Amino acid sequence: MIDEVVDAELVEEDRLPAIPEDRTPAVLQVDEDPDAWLPPEAQEDVQAGIPRDTSRAYEGDMERFAEWCATVGRRVMPAAPQTVTAYLSYLKRTPRKRTGRPYGPATMDRIIASIRSSHRAAGYKPPDTMGARKVVAGYRKELSEAQDPAAMPKKATAADRAVLREALAHLDRTTLVGMRDAALMLLGHAVASRGSELAPLNWPASFTELPEGKLSVRVYRKKRKKWQNVEVLPDPDPDLCTVTAVRELVDALANEGHTSGPLFMRIDQWGYMGAEMIRDGEPIGDPDGRISVNGASDVVSRSIGRTGLPGKWTSHSLRRGLVKSSRAAGADIVDIGRHGGWDDRSKALIGYIDEEDSQGDRNPLAQIAKKAATPDQEPT
C-alpha cells in the first residue's frame, strides 16, 4: 500500500522511467538539441530525487497506457494530444476490475503527469494535455454535483487520542510486537509524522534526553526537505504517554541485544526480530531489520482495525490525529503547524481541520452570541 499521496503538480517535471524498451516505437525526436543529454552520474542524481513510490506508480500508469494504445492502434510515443485526451475519456467511462468503478479524478491527474514525465525521460517533447485536463475537470464537476464520494480527496481518517486509546487497549503491551506498535502509534501522533518519517528513526541517534523527562526527536520532514527537532513531553495518562512507550520499547530491544540502530524493527509472526524477508528467492527489505514505510502504515491500519472503528487508517492518520487532538485541546493552529513541521502558509494544514472543528462552541455564530450576551462593562 502506498501511503504517501502522489501530487501530480509537484512531480510532473521529474525525470521518470519511460515505458519498457520493447514497447517504445522508433519515432525520431524532431529538432534534437545536441546538448539535451545527461551523463550517467547526473541521471543517477536525478533518479535519487524521485520518491520510490512515485516512480513505481508512474511506471504502472505508463504500462497501462501502452496496453490501451496497442488495443486501439495509437502511437504511445510521442503521443498525440488527442491520444491522451481519448485515453482519459476511456478511463472516465471504464470500471476497473478490482473496484468496479472508474479511476477517480486525482488518480487521473497523476496519469497525465505520468505520460508527460515519461515523454521527457524518453527524450520527447510532452504532448499538450489541455484536452485531457478538461476531461478530468468535467469529470470532477459531474461527481461533485452528484455528491459522489469519489470527487473528494481520499484522506486518511484522523487518529486522535480517543482513537489511539481504543486501539492501544487491543494491544498486548507485554510483548515485543505490542510494545513496538504502541510506541510507533504514540510517537507518530506526538510528532505528527508520516510513515516515511517514522521508519528511519534510530535509537539513540534520533533522540536526545531533555530535563523533566522530555525527549527531543530529530525528524526529517520529507515534504519540506528539512530536519526538525520535535520536543515530546510526558503525558499524565500513562496509557497514552509517548515517552514511556518509547523507553519501554528501547528496554525491550536491549534485552534482545539490540541497543542501537532502527527503533522500529520488523517482527515476524513468531516474534523474531529483524527476520529476513525473501521474494522470488531474493532478500528484500532493510538488511538491518528496519520496518518499511508500508510496514509502519500496516501497524496503524491493523491496530485500529481491531477496534472496528470505521475509517481509512494509515500512518498518515497519526499526523492528522495530532491536528485533531490539538484543536480539541484549544491549541493555536500556528503552534500546531510549527510543531508538526508545516509551513506557516500551509494549505495542507488547513485541509486537515475538519468541518466539525467549527461546530459547537467553535462555531463563529456561537462565539458572536456569547460575546453579545456578556458585553464588556463600561468602566466606572
Side-chain angles (χ1 to χ4, degrees):
M1 176 174 58
I2 297 176
D3 184 39
E4 301 297 333
V5 176
V6 177
D7 188 331
E9 296 303 321
L10 292 179
V11 299
E12 184 176 344
E13 299 301 320
D14 287 341
R15 186 183 189 281
L16 294 169
I19 58 175
E21 292 184 2
D22 60 350
R23 291 184 180 273
T24 306
V27 180
L28 295 177
Q29 173 69 28
V30 180
D31 298 326
E32 290 187 3
D33 183 345
D35 284 346
W37 63 280
L38 288 174
E41 62 272 17
Q43 294 185 35
E44 292 176 2
D45 290 341
V46 171
Q47 192 67 30
I50 303 170
R52 186 178 304 172
D53 287 341
T54 300
S55 181
R56 188 164 60 241
Y58 274 36
E59 288 174 354
D61 291 339
M62 282 308 296
E63 288 174 1
R64 288 182 285 274
F65 177 55
E67 291 170 357
W68 177 82
C69 286
T71 63
V72 298
R74 287 181 177 262
R75 187 179 64 235
V76 184
M77 285 195 182
Q82 293 83 354
T83 296
V84 184
T85 302
Y87 181 56
L88 270 293
S89 179
Y90 162 80
L91 294 179
K92 169 189 170 183
R93 290 172 167 78
T94 306
R96 292 174 292 157
K97 291 182 179 179
R98 185 172 64 86
T99 64
R101 292 177 57 91
Y103 283 115
T107 303
M108 291 168 70
D109 282 335
R110 189 196 71 206
I111 291 169
I112 293 173
S114 302
I115 293 171
R116 290 177 60 84
S117 294
S118 293
H119 274 68
R120 290 191 184 90
Y124 295 117
K125 180 180 178 180
D128 186 316
T129 55
M130 181 178 293
R133 292 187 185 280
K134 286 182 177 179
V135 170
V136 178
Y139 183 34
R140 184 177 277 111
K141 180 181 178 182
E142 290 175 16
L143 293 174
S144 296
E145 291 176 346
Q147 300 186 40
D148 192 309
M152 301 297 294
K154 295 182 179 180
K155 297 179 180 179
T157 308
D160 61 2
R161 285 172 66 89
V163 172
L164 289 178
R165 184 187 305 280
E166 193 160 347
L168 293 171
H170 286 73
L171 293 179
D172 182 356
R173 297 176 69 171
T174 65
T175 65
L176 182 59
V177 69
M179 285 185 275
R180 180 204 63 184
D181 293 355
L184 187 148
M185 289 193 292
L186 288 171
L187 186 61
H189 177 270
V191 302
S193 71
R194 304 171 177 86
S196 57
E197 297 166 352
L198 272 177
L201 294 178
N202 293 318
W203 181 272
S206 302
F207 296 81
T208 301
E209 301 274 358
L210 298 177
E212 301 176 358
K214 303 175 185 176
L215 285 176
S216 177
V217 187
R218 188 159 177 78
V219 180
Y220 183 68
R221 298 299 187 184
K222 184 177 179 181
K223 293 291 184 181
R224 299 187 67 192
K225 297 179 174 60
K226 63 183 297 184
W227 289 94
Q228 179 187 6
N229 295 319
V230 185
E231 188 176 78
V232 178
L233 285 62
D235 194 288
D237 186 332
D239 291 335
L240 295 177
C241 182
T242 302
V243 174
T244 299
V246 169
R247 288 180 172 146
E248 287 178 349
L249 175 60
V250 168
D251 290 342
L253 291 173
N255 289 335
E256 297 292 329
H258 182 77
T259 57
S260 64
L263 175 63
F264 299 118
M265 299 286 290
R266 295 193 304 267
I267 302 174
D268 66 16
Q269 58 183 321
W270 296 284
Y272 292 108
M273 185 174 62
E276 186 180 50
M277 297 190 300
I278 302 294
R279 179 182 297 161
D280 298 328
E282 297 292 332
I284 60 173
D286 192 313
D288 291 336
R290 184 188 307 276
I291 198 171
S292 67
V293 174
N294 288 340
S297 196
D298 288 342
V299 167
V300 177
S301 60
R302 182 173 60 247
S303 298
I304 302 180
R306 294 191 187 102
T307 68
L309 293 171
K312 180 184 178 184
W313 306 108
T314 72
S315 57
H316 217 78
S317 296
L318 305 175
R319 184 165 171 82
R320 292 202 68 198
L322 185 277
V323 177
K324 186 171 182 179
S325 297
S326 301
R327 290 294 291 164
D332 186 271
I333 190 170
V334 174
D335 294 331
I336 298 170
R338 291 176 179 174
H339 178 86
W342 283 279
D343 185 272
D344 285 350
R345 297 164 294 179
S346 173
K347 293 181 180 179
L349 176 57
I350 297 298
Y352 283 0
I353 298 178
D354 298 323
E355 289 183 3
E356 65 189 42
D357 190 64
S358 60
Q359 298 175 357
D361 291 340
R362 288 205 184 92
N363 186 318
L365 295 178
Q367 297 179 43
I368 292 171
K370 182 178 180 181
K371 180 70 174 178
T374 55
D376 294 335
Q377 296 183 356
E378 295 292 331
T380 57

Coordinates of all heavy atoms in Angstrom, one line a residue, residues 188-238:
G188 N 4.2 8.6 16.5 CA 3.7 9.2 15.2 C 2.7 10.3 15.5 O 2.7 11.3 14.8
H189 N 1.9 10.1 16.5 CA 0.9 11.1 16.8 C 1.6 12.3 17.5 O 1.3 13.5 17.2 CB -0.1 10.5 17.8 CG -1.2 11.4 18.3 ND1 -1.0 12.2 19.5 CD2 -2.4 11.8 17.9 CE1 -2.0 12.9 19.7 NE2 -2.9 12.7 18.8
A190 N 2.5 12.0 18.4 CA 3.2 13.1 19.2 C 4.0 14.0 18.3 O 4.0 15.2 18.5 CB 4.1 12.5 20.2
V191 N 4.7 13.5 17.2 CA 5.5 14.4 16.4 C 4.8 14.7 15.1 O 5.4 15.3 14.2 CB 6.9 13.8 16.2 CG1 7.6 13.5 17.5 CG2 6.8 12.5 15.4
A192 N 3.5 14.2 14.9 CA 2.8 14.5 13.7 C 3.6 14.0 12.5 O 3.8 14.8 11.5 CB 2.4 16.0 13.6
S193 N 3.9 12.8 12.5 CA 4.8 12.3 11.4 C 4.1 11.5 10.4 O 3.0 10.9 10.6 CB 6.0 11.4 12.0 OG 5.4 10.2 12.5
R194 N 4.7 11.4 9.2 CA 4.3 10.5 8.2 C 5.0 9.2 8.4 O 6.0 9.1 9.2 CB 4.7 11.0 6.8 CG 4.2 12.4 6.5 CD 4.8 13.0 5.2 NE 4.2 14.3 4.9 CZ 4.7 15.4 5.3 NH1 5.7 15.4 6.2 NH2 4.1 16.5 5.0
G195 N 4.5 8.1 7.7 CA 5.2 6.8 7.9 C 6.7 6.9 7.4 O 7.6 6.3 8.0
S196 N 6.9 7.7 6.4 CA 8.2 7.8 5.8 C 9.2 8.6 6.8 O 10.4 8.6 6.6 CB 8.2 8.6 4.5 OG 7.6 9.8 4.6
E197 N 8.6 9.3 7.8 CA 9.4 10.0 8.8 C 9.6 9.1 10.0 O 10.6 9.3 10.8 CB 8.8 11.3 9.1 CG 8.7 12.2 7.9 CD 7.8 13.4 8.2 OE1 7.0 13.5 9.2 OE2 7.7 14.3 7.3
L198 N 8.7 8.2 10.3 CA 8.8 7.3 11.4 C 9.8 6.2 11.2 O 10.7 5.9 12.1 CB 7.5 6.7 11.7 CG 6.5 7.4 12.7 CD1 5.2 6.6 12.8 CD2 7.1 7.6 14.0
A199 N 9.7 5.5 10.0 CA 10.5 4.3 9.8 C 12.0 4.6 9.9 O 12.8 3.7 10.4 CB 10.2 3.7 8.4
P200 N 12.6 5.7 9.5 CA 14.0 5.9 9.5 C 14.6 6.2 10.9 O 15.8 6.3 11.1 CB 14.2 7.2 8.6 CG 13.0 7.3 7.8 CD 11.9 6.8 8.7
L201 N 13.7 6.4 11.9 CA 14.2 6.8 13.3 C 15.1 5.8 13.9 O 14.8 4.6 13.8 CB 13.1 7.1 14.2 CG 12.2 8.3 13.8 CD1 11.0 8.4 14.8 CD2 13.0 9.6 13.8
N202 N 16.2 6.2 14.5 CA 17.2 5.3 15.1 C 17.3 5.7 16.6 O 17.1 6.8 17.0 CB 18.6 5.5 14.5 CG 18.6 5.0 13.0 OD1 18.1 4.0 12.7 ND2 19.3 5.7 12.2
W203 N 17.6 4.6 17.4 CA 17.9 4.8 18.8 C 19.4 4.5 19.0 O 19.8 3.4 18.5 CB 17.0 3.9 19.7 CG 17.3 4.2 21.1 CD1 18.3 3.5 21.9 CD2 16.7 5.2 22.0 NE1 18.3 4.0 23.1 CE2 17.4 5.1 23.2 CE3 15.7 6.1 21.8 CZ2 17.0 5.9 24.3 CZ3 15.4 6.9 22.9 CH2 16.0 6.8 24.1
P204 N 20.1 5.4 19.7 CA 19.7 6.6 20.3 C 19.9 7.8 19.4 O 19.7 9.0 19.8 CB 20.6 6.7 21.5 CG 21.9 6.1 21.1 CD 21.5 4.9 20.1
A205 N 20.4 7.6 18.1 CA 20.9 8.7 17.3 C 19.8 9.8 17.0 O 20.1 11.0 16.9 CB 21.4 8.2 16.0
S206 N 18.5 9.4 16.9 CA 17.5 10.3 16.6 C 16.8 11.0 17.8 O 15.9 11.8 17.7 CB 16.4 9.6 15.8 OG 16.8 9.0 14.6
F207 N 17.3 10.6 19.0 CA 16.7 11.1 20.3 C 17.7 11.8 21.2 O 18.9 11.4 21.2 CB 16.1 9.9 21.0 CG 14.9 9.3 20.2 CD1 15.2 8.3 19.2 CD2 13.6 9.6 20.5 CE1 14.1 7.7 18.5 CE2 12.6 9.0 19.8 CZ 12.8 8.1 18.8
T208 N 17.2 12.8 21.9 CA 18.0 13.5 22.9 C 17.2 13.5 24.2 O 16.0 14.0 24.2 CB 18.4 14.9 22.5 OG1 19.1 14.8 21.2 CG2 19.3 15.6 23.5
E209 N 17.8 13.1 25.3 CA 17.1 13.2 26.6 C 17.2 14.7 27.1 O 18.2 15.4 27.0 CB 17.9 12.4 27.6 CG 18.0 10.9 27.3 CD 16.7 10.1 27.7 OE1 15.8 10.7 28.3 OE2 16.7 8.9 27.5
L210 N 16.0 15.2 27.5 CA 15.9 16.5 28.0 C 15.4 16.5 29.4 O 15.0 15.5 29.9 CB 14.8 17.3 27.1 CG 15.1 17.4 25.6 CD1 13.9 18.1 24.9 CD2 16.4 18.2 25.4
P211 N 15.6 17.7 30.1 CA 15.2 17.7 31.5 C 13.7 17.5 31.7 O 12.9 17.6 30.7 CB 15.5 19.2 31.9 CG 16.6 19.6 31.0 CD 16.3 18.9 29.7
E212 N 13.3 17.1 32.9 CA 11.8 16.9 33.2 C 11.3 15.7 32.4 O 10.1 15.6 32.2 CB 11.0 18.1 33.0 CG 11.5 19.3 33.8 CD 10.7 20.6 33.4 OE1 9.8 20.5 32.5 OE2 11.0 21.6 34.0
G213 N 12.1 14.7 32.1 CA 11.6 13.5 31.4 C 11.2 13.7 30.0 O 10.6 12.8 29.4
K214 N 11.6 14.8 29.3 CA 11.2 15.0 27.9 C 12.2 14.3 27.0 O 13.3 14.0 27.4 CB 11.2 16.5 27.6 CG 10.2 17.3 28.6 CD 10.4 18.8 28.3 CE 9.6 19.7 29.2 NZ 9.8 21.1 29.0
L215 N 11.7 14.2 25.8 CA 12.6 13.7 24.7 C 12.5 14.7 23.5 O 11.5 15.3 23.2 CB 12.1 12.4 24.2 CG 12.3 11.1 25.0 CD1 11.7 9.9 24.4 CD2 13.8 10.9 25.2
S216 N 13.7 14.9 22.9 CA 13.7 15.6 21.6 C 13.9 14.6 20.5 O 14.9 13.8 20.6 CB 14.8 16.6 21.6 OG 14.9 17.3 20.4
V217 N 13.1 14.6 19.5 CA 13.1 13.7 18.4 C 13.6 14.5 17.1 O 12.9 15.4 16.8 CB 11.8 13.0 18.1 CG1 11.9 11.9 17.1 CG2 11.2 12.4 19.4
R218 N 14.6 14.0 16.5 CA 15.1 14.7 15.3 C 14.4 14.0 14.1 O 14.7 12.8 13.8 CB 16.6 14.6 15.2 CG 17.2 15.4 14.0 CD 18.7 15.7 14.2 NE 19.3 16.5 13.1 CZ 19.1 17.8 12.9 NH1 18.3 18.5 13.8 NH2 19.7 18.4 11.9
V219 N 13.6 14.7 13.4 CA 12.7 14.2 12.3 C 13.1 14.9 11.0 O 13.2 16.1 11.0 CB 11.2 14.4 12.7 CG1 10.4 13.8 11.5 CG2 10.9 13.7 14.0
Y220 N 13.2 14.1 10.0 CA 13.4 14.7 8.7 C 12.1 14.9 8.0 O 11.4 13.9 7.7 CB 14.3 13.8 7.8 CG 14.6 14.4 6.4 CD1 15.4 15.6 6.3 CD2 14.1 13.9 5.3 CE1 15.6 16.2 5.1 CE2 14.3 14.5 4.0 CZ 15.1 15.6 4.0 OH 15.4 16.2 2.7
R221 N 11.6 16.1 7.8 CA 10.3 16.4 7.2 C 10.5 16.3 5.7 O 11.1 17.2 5.0 CB 9.9 17.8 7.6 CG 9.6 18.0 9.1 CD 8.6 17.1 9.6 NE 8.2 17.4 11.0 CZ 7.4 16.7 11.8 NH1 6.8 15.6 11.2 NH2 7.1 17.0 13.0
K222 N 10.0 15.2 5.2 CA 10.2 14.8 3.8 C 9.7 15.8 2.8 O 10.4 16.2 1.9 CB 9.6 13.5 3.6 CG 9.8 12.9 2.2 CD 9.2 11.5 2.1 CE 9.4 10.9 0.7 NZ 8.8 9.6 0.6
K223 N 8.5 16.3 3.0 CA 7.9 17.3 2.1 C 8.7 18.6 2.0 O 8.8 19.2 0.9 CB 6.5 17.5 2.4 CG 5.6 16.3 2.2 CD 5.4 15.9 0.8 CE 4.4 14.8 0.6 NZ 4.2 14.4 -0.8
R224 N 9.2 19.0 3.1 CA 9.9 20.3 3.2 C 11.4 20.2 3.1 O 12.1 21.1 3.0 CB 9.6 21.1 4.5 CG 8.1 21.4 4.7 CD 7.8 22.2 5.9 NE 8.4 23.6 5.8 CZ 8.6 24.4 6.8 NH1 8.2 24.1 8.0 NH2 9.1 25.6 6.6
K225 N 11.8 18.9 3.1 CA 13.3 18.6 2.9 C 14.1 19.3 3.9 O 15.1 20.0 3.6 CB 13.7 18.9 1.5 CG 13.0 18.1 0.4 CD 13.5 18.5 -1.0 CE 12.9 17.5 -2.0 NZ 11.4 17.5 -2.1
K226 N 13.7 19.2 5.2 CA 14.5 19.8 6.2 C 14.3 19.0 7.5 O 13.4 18.3 7.7 CB 14.0 21.3 6.5 CG 12.6 21.4 6.9 CD 12.2 22.9 7.0 CE 13.0 23.6 8.1 NZ 12.5 25.0 8.3
W227 N 15.4 19.2 8.4 CA 15.3 18.5 9.7 C 14.6 19.4 10.7 O 14.7 20.6 10.7 CB 16.8 18.2 10.2 CG 17.4 17.1 9.4 CD1 18.3 17.3 8.3 CD2 17.4 15.7 9.6 NE1 18.7 16.1 7.8 CE2 18.1 15.1 8.6 CE3 16.7 14.9 10.5 CZ2 18.3 13.7 8.5 CZ3 16.8 13.6 10.5 CH2 17.6 13.0 9.5
Q228 N 14.0 18.7 11.7 CA 13.3 19.4 12.8 C 13.5 18.6 14.1 O 13.4 17.4 14.1 CB 11.8 19.6 12.5 CG 11.1 20.3 13.6 CD 9.6 20.2 13.3 OE1 9.1 19.6 12.4 NE2 8.8 20.9 14.2
N229 N 13.8 19.4 15.1 CA 13.9 18.8 16.5 C 12.5 19.0 17.2 O 12.1 20.1 17.4 CB 15.0 19.4 17.3 CG 16.4 19.1 16.7 OD1 16.6 18.0 16.2 ND2 17.3 20.1 16.7
V230 N 11.8 17.9 17.4 CA 10.5 18.0 18.0 C 10.5 17.6 19.4 O 11.0 16.5 19.8 CB 9.5 17.1 17.2 CG1 8.1 17.3 17.7 CG2 9.5 17.4 15.7
E231 N 10.0 18.4 20.3 CA 10.0 18.1 21.7 C 8.8 17.3 22.1 O 7.7 17.7 21.8 CB 10.0 19.4 22.5 CG 10.2 19.3 24.0 CD 10.3 20.6 24.7 OE1 9.3 21.2 25.0 OE2 11.5 21.0 25.1
V232 N 9.0 16.2 22.8 CA 7.9 15.3 23.2 C 7.9 15.3 24.7 O 8.9 15.0 25.4 CB 8.1 13.9 22.7 CG1 7.0 13.0 23.2 CG2 8.1 13.9 21.1
L233 N 6.7 15.6 25.3 CA 6.6 15.7 26.7 C 5.9 14.5 27.3 O 5.2 13.8 26.6 CB 5.7 16.9 27.1 CG 6.3 18.3 27.0 CD1 6.8 18.7 25.6 CD2 5.3 19.4 27.6
P234 N 6.2 14.1 28.6 CA 5.5 13.0 29.2 C 4.0 13.4 29.3 O 3.6 14.5 29.4 CB 6.1 13.0 30.6 CG 7.4 13.6 30.5 CD 7.2 14.7 29.4
D235 N 3.1 12.3 29.2 CA 1.7 12.5 29.3 C 1.2 12.1 30.6 O 1.6 11.1 31.2 CB 1.0 11.7 28.2 CG -0.4 12.1 27.9 OD1 -1.3 11.8 28.8 OD2 -0.7 12.7 26.9
P236 N 0.3 12.9 31.2 CA -0.3 12.5 32.5 C -1.0 11.1 32.5 O -1.2 10.5 33.5 CB -1.2 13.6 32.9 CG -1.5 14.3 31.6 CD -0.3 14.2 30.7
D237 N -1.5 10.7 31.3 CA -2.2 9.5 31.2 C -1.1 8.4 30.8 O -0.6 8.4 29.7 CB -3.2 9.5 30.1 CG -4.1 8.3 30.0 OD1 -3.6 7.2 30.3 OD2 -5.2 8.4 29.5
P238 N -0.8 7.5 31.7 CA 0.3 6.5 31.4 C 0.0 5.7 30.2 O 1.0 5.2 29.5 CB 0.3 5.7 32.7 CG -1.0 5.9 33.4 CD -1.4 7.3 33.0

